[in-house]
Amino acid sequence: MGHEEALRNVPLFAGLEAADLQRLGRILVPRQYEAGDLIIKEGDEAVGFFIVSSGKVRVVMDLGGSKEQTLATLTPGEFFGETALLDGYPRTASVQAVDKTECLALTRWDFMSELKGSPSMAVEIVRVLARRLRQTDANLSE
């Protein structure tokens, strides 16, 4: 799967024009992890977004603690940390490689640089976020 195709499978980027996907695809960086490696740590500053390109990861709260809880297991094509691209707030969970894993990483500062240079990309991202907010509001009022 090419970088642009991997991005197209992420709801935040699905509606972007091909040129914008190509620009973002060029700044994705492949990163390799061994089984057991910590990719992101709960509580750390959120500085990037990841797409799993091979292997498997688990999303965990309180990793190694008395209340450890696996929230999700992610496989190729799935992603984590997309909110970090926009807010930079501390991570709400840890992500650990289950197997030998490769992820495509996009840093917040690279993403923001691209966003500032492409008003059409910024408008599409805002549109997607507004739609997600409306859906959350609807779910809460049910």
Side-chain angles (χ1 to χ4, degrees), residues 80-110:
F80 56 95
E82 70 277 14
T83 306
L85 293 175
L86 302 165
D87 69 10
Y89 279 35
R91 298 289 188 181
T92 57
S94 296
V95 178
Q96 182 179 44
V98 173
D99 302 323
K100 186 173 183 169
T101 298
E102 181 177 274
C103 293
L104 298 172
L106 176 61
T107 64
R108 184 172 190 267
W109 48 89
D110 284 342

Side-chain angles (χ1 to χ4, degrees), residues 3-4 7 19-29 114:
H3 292 181
E4 292 85 7
L7 287 166
D20 290 331
L21 288 171
Q22 288 175 348
R23 287 175 52 208
L24 290 177
R26 284 194 295 272
I27 59 176
L28 285 173
V29 177
E114 290 297 327

